[in-house]
Amino acid sequence: MKKLWLIATMLCLLAFPVSAFAATSDNAKAFASEETVATQWIDTMLTKNQPEKALTLMGKDAQTNVKPAQMKEIRDRMTKELGTLKTTRFISWTRFDQADQFIYLMGFDKSPTVRCELLFKKDGTLENFNLTPFTVQQKTDAKASDKK
């Protein structure tokens, strides 16, 4: 009889973690949908070079504030300053009260490290983006600068 209770207890303990992981949270659903939009936008805007189509992936507010010609101008400037996209690496996802933020580190031809920030509204629509290249500053030796 003790063995039956032990087996029943073990089966219940094994079934509990499985049932706990079965239900997805609201955060997991939001992350999955926003990540899908983010990867589509990165692929469309930075890889396929289709800024007009990338604008259609953004929210209604962004579409009314930014014209397709402006998106093309932004893409042309990014291509001139950064080059072509080589690598993309997901860094973080942060939930705020009114918005969510995705951060990627990217590598381009002309700029090896670029921080890409994508901002989403709470309803999951992409509203803004920002690409910031990192520049490495050389440390100068105090003695070398005194001699000059």
Side-chain angles (χ1 to χ4, degrees), residues 40-58:
Q40 288 174 347
W41 186 88
I42 290 169
D43 185 49
T44 304
M45 180 73 170
L46 303 174
T47 305
K48 294 179 181 174
N49 196 12
Q50 298 173 338
E52 295 87 5
K53 189 174 178 183
L55 184 60
T56 62
L57 294 171
M58 298 179 75

Side-chain angles (χ1 to χ4, degrees), residues 119-144:
L119 295 175
F120 289 84
K121 280 186 168 182
K122 277 299 183 184
D123 63 358
T125 58
L126 177 61
E127 284 304 313
N128 206 345
F129 65 93
N130 183 29
L131 275 78
T132 308
F134 286 106
T135 56
V136 179
Q137 295 180 351
Q138 297 288 334
K139 290 186 178 182
T140 58
D141 190 11
K143 293 179 183 178

Side-chain angles (χ1 to χ4, degrees), residues 58-66 121 127:
M58 298 179 75
K60 293 185 189 283
D61 291 340
Q63 290 179 14
T64 56
N65 293 332
V66 179
K121 280 186 168 182
E127 284 304 313

Side-chain angles (χ1 to χ4, degrees), residues 2-143:
K2 289 181 183 179
K3 289 181 182 178
L4 280 172
W5 281 106
L6 181 64
I7 291 172
T9 305
M10 292 300 287
L11 288 175
C12 289
L13 289 175
L14 288 175
F16 177 72
V18 172
S19 64
F21 288 117
T24 58
S25 70
D26 291 336
N27 290 341
K29 291 176 187 174
F31 175 80
S33 67
E34 290 174 1
E35 183 187 29
T36 301
V37 172
T39 55
Q40 288 174 347
W41 186 88
I42 290 169
D43 185 49
T44 304
M45 180 73 170
L46 303 174
T47 305
K48 294 179 181 174
N49 196 12
Q50 298 173 338
E52 295 87 5
K53 189 174 178 183
L55 184 60
T56 62
L57 294 171
M58 298 179 75
K60 293 185 189 283
D61 291 340
Q63 290 179 14
T64 56
N65 293 332
V66 179
K67 304 296 180 226
Q70 291 173 318
M71 281 293 280
K72 185 172 181 344
E73 182 181 315
I74 291 168
R75 177 62 187 137
D76 291 343
R77 192 176 74 218
M78 286 190 317
T79 302
K80 180 182 174 186
E81 294 175 8
L82 303 174
T84 58
L85 180 66
K86 295 294 179 190
T87 60
T88 302
R89 182 175 180 161
F90 172 75
I91 298 299
S92 70
W93 177 63
T94 308
R95 292 216 80 175
F96 297 106
D97 290 337
Q98 301 299 320
D100 297 336
Q101 175 190 47
F102 271 82
I103 295 178
Y104 291 88
L105 282 182
M106 299 178 170
F108 288 83
D109 284 342
K110 298 177 183 175
S111 185
T113 307
V114 176
R115 180 181 186 261
C116 177
E117 178 181 0
L118 301 171
L119 295 175
F120 289 84
K121 280 186 168 182
K122 277 299 183 184
D123 63 358
T125 58
L126 177 61
E127 284 304 313
N128 206 345
F129 65 93
N130 183 29
L131 275 78
T132 308
F134 286 106
T135 56
V136 179
Q137 295 180 351
Q138 297 288 334
K139 290 186 178 182
T140 58
D141 190 11
K143 293 179 183 178

